[in-house]
Amino acid sequence: MKRTIEQVDVSGKRILMRVDFNVPLQDGVITDDRRIIMSLPSIRSVLDRGGSVTLMSHLGRPKGEGYESQYSLKPVAKRLEELLDTPVHFGDDDPDAEVVLLENVRFDAGEKTGSTSFSEKLAMLGDIYCNDAFGTAHRNHASMVGVPQLMEGKPCVAGLLLASELEYLGDAIEHAENPFVAVLGGIKVSDKMDAIKHLLGKVDIILIGGAMAYTFLVATGKEVGNSLVERDRIQDAKEMLDAAAVSSTELRLPHDHVCAQQIVKGTSVQVTNDPIPEGWMGVDIGPETQSKYTSTLLHAKTIVWNGPMGAFETSPFDEGTRQVAEAIAKATTNGAVSIVGGGDSAAAISAFELDAQITHISTGGGASLQMLEGKSFKSVELLDNPL
Ligand code: ADP
Ligand code: MG
């Protein structure tokens, strides 16, 4: 655990806070303000105790050659002002303003290169550094690692969002109550290989679904028709299955499949055990697998989920993902701790309106996956330990 913003005296101090305001925009309008809302507790914690904040964030992928209007944080400043019900001074520093939001840090090439001169310019702006940008925690950028190295003994603390992500994705997983079940799915086995490797020996059962199941099934000698397979990962998948066989973790693969010839609504569908016929692809876990996976989940005390079970954006191929999501929600209601990471998995939970029944839904796709891989982040290591 790290020292948090709540554990430091902020009265009369200016807090230089790195947040993740990388919100989706369409024609200058914010289409989802959740990231702004998630940062409010840390900001309010400072303002309520008589401190002021200078906020910094990136937005999108500007070239790093100066201002580009489509990547300006100006719409965020306006939305933040409404949410906080406090004026927000936007664009540059203002020592008299209670809340300042700097312009997109990535307009300066020094952000991504972690340049010392850019870090120095930022570090000068605060008496205390606070990192609340979990979504960027795995990036060694100036505002993430350059600045805390230049604070010259001033406090460097975790924001409340970052602290809760670290608590659930780090501590809760390392000290999980059993039975501990991981559900791993999604599009590519290559994305999740390191997470599987790290979880072997830590979790009791890994349930595999999604397109990545087919690379594993090919590795066991099954025929999978047109299903998505990463040919160059079949050998890795074989080695993973061998490693699982001699570990304390049971790795389960789906044994029936909802198959289609194309992923479009209204297309004809068949359910098969193996082999999947030529011309057909597995687009969701089948009904038998669904019921086996859900009964396993209902007995779990700790659940980690990353990656949908099928092409859930297209009905009826959302059924496996829905069954798994509902089982996780139910297990949580009965006392399990559930942790969901991955952008698409979080979107599925929202689409099924189960958000409130999950213990922790991570806000950072890439960063949460790296935590499941057991990686640690320099941006976090640089923060103070609790006093
Ligand atoms: P997350 O963002 O939760 O980590 P991924 O990005 O790895 O998840 O994978 C999500 C995507 O995988 C979704 O777009 C989903 O449609 C797709 N997907 C899952 N299973 C299949 C499948 N069997 N065939 C094709 N696409 C699939
Ligand atoms: Mg994704």
Side-chain angles (χ1 to χ4, degrees):
M1 262 298 113
K2 288 290 171 180
R3 189 179 183 192
T4 72
I5 188 68
E6 278 182 336
Q7 294 159 352
V8 68
D9 179 12
V10 296
S11 165
K13 303 258 166 59
R14 177 158 292 273
I15 317 308
L16 178 61
M17 192 183 290
R18 177 51 158 106
V19 290
D20 180 3
F21 283 164
N22 186 26
V23 294
L25 282 167
Q26 227 159 36
D27 304 322
V29 178
I30 298 168
T31 53
D32 182 347
D33 62 2
R34 262 181 296 184
R35 286 194 163 149
I36 308 174
I37 290 170
M38 301 291 262
S39 70
L40 296 176
S42 291
I43 299 170
R44 287 208 175 104
S45 160
V46 171
L47 301 181
D48 290 350
R49 290 178 293 142
S52 54
V53 287
T54 295
L55 301 163
M56 48 186 177
S57 175
H58 75 284
L59 174 69
R61 296 172 185 274
K63 290 194 206 72
E65 296 165 4
Y67 180 80
E68 285 175 71
S69 62
Q70 82 259 40
Y71 297 119
S72 173
L73 281 164
K74 191 154 191 201
V76 174
K78 196 165 156 276
R79 184 75 190 111
L80 180 64
E81 204 159 64
E82 291 163 6
L83 289 165
L84 280 176
D85 200 17
T86 298
V88 172
H89 177 90
F90 176 68
D92 56 356
D93 185 38
D94 178 355
D96 297 323
E98 206 184 355
V99 182
V100 171
L101 172 61
L102 301 178
E103 185 53 284
N104 193 343
V105 284
R106 285 194 190 165
F107 285 168
D108 193 308
E111 168 64 1
K112 286 178 99 170
T113 62
S115 100
T116 307
S117 61
F118 185 56
S119 302
E120 269 167 356
K121 262 200 238 167
L122 295 171
M124 274 172 38
L125 303 176
D127 308 308
I128 293 170
Y129 171 79
C130 174
N131 186 337
D132 208 18
F134 178 72
T136 323
H138 55 313
R139 309 231 182 257
N140 293 338
H141 294 170
S143 61
M144 301 295 298
V145 309
V147 175
Q149 285 174 296
L150 294 169
M151 292 302 288
E152 299 178 329
K154 295 169 191 157
C156 292
V157 299
L160 301 174
L161 174 63
L162 179 70
S164 86
E165 294 275 13
L166 296 175
E167 181 188 340
Y168 285 108
L169 290 161
D171 304 0
I173 290 180
E174 299 301 326
H175 310 286
E177 203 183 323
N178 303 77
F180 183 1
V181 179
V183 187
L184 296 174
I187 194 91
K188 282 161 122 189
V189 73
S190 51
D191 286 347
K192 313 277 160 98
M193 212 52 124
D194 289 343
I196 300 173
K197 206 179 279 175
H198 181 67
L199 292 172
L200 282 186
K202 281 205 167 59
V203 306
D204 298 301
I205 300 170
I206 298 179
L207 304 174
I208 301 276
M212 75 175 200
Y214 300 104
T215 302
F216 279 109
L217 287 167
V218 169
T220 66
K222 301 257 153 78
E223 281 170 39
V224 300
N226 262 4
S227 305
L228 290 179
V229 171
E230 282 178 272
R231 296 273 154 205
D232 56 345
R233 289 304 185 129
I234 295 169
Q235 188 54 35
D236 288 344
K238 267 195 193 126
E239 284 165 20
M240 195 64 69
L241 291 168
D242 291 342
V246 296
S247 79
S248 58
T249 302
E250 189 190 335
L251 193 146
R252 291 194 200 153
L253 300 174
H255 49 91
D256 64 337
H257 314 276
V258 175
C259 301
Q261 287 162 303
Q262 46 185 345
I263 303 176
V264 286
K265 225 181 146 117
T267 191
S268 49
V269 170
Q270 59 167 303
V271 173
T272 61
N273 296 82
D274 54 87
I276 295 172
E278 214 33 68
W280 292 74
M281 56 176 157
V283 290
D284 196 7
I285 55 173
E288 270 177 40
T289 305
Q290 288 171 26
S291 79
K292 290 226 162 111
Y293 281 13
T294 47
S295 67
T296 298
L297 287 165
L298 290 174
H299 290 105
K301 280 275 169 261
T302 310
I303 299 168
V304 170
W305 180 28
N306 187 300
M309 297 292 97
F312 75 99
E313 298 92 338
T314 310
S315 157
F317 312 135
D318 58 345
E319 192 54 28
T321 303
R322 182 191 303 274
Q323 293 291 334
V324 160
E326 283 177 355
I328 294 173
K330 201 161 173 198
T332 312
T333 310
N334 293 336
V337 170
S338 56
I339 299 154
V340 175
D344 290 292
S345 315
I349 291 278
S350 280
F352 305 144
E353 296 182 21
L354 295 170
D355 306 68
Q357 293 168 65
I358 302 297
T359 312
H360 181 78
I361 302 175
S362 179
T363 55
S368 73
L369 193 56
Q370 290 201 12
M371 296 238 4
L372 291 186
E373 295 165 2
K375 300 221 172 88
S376 56
F377 305 131
K378 195 169 178 198
S379 67
V380 172
E381 282 164 9
L382 287 166
L383 302 177
D384 301 347
N385 291 316
L387 294 179

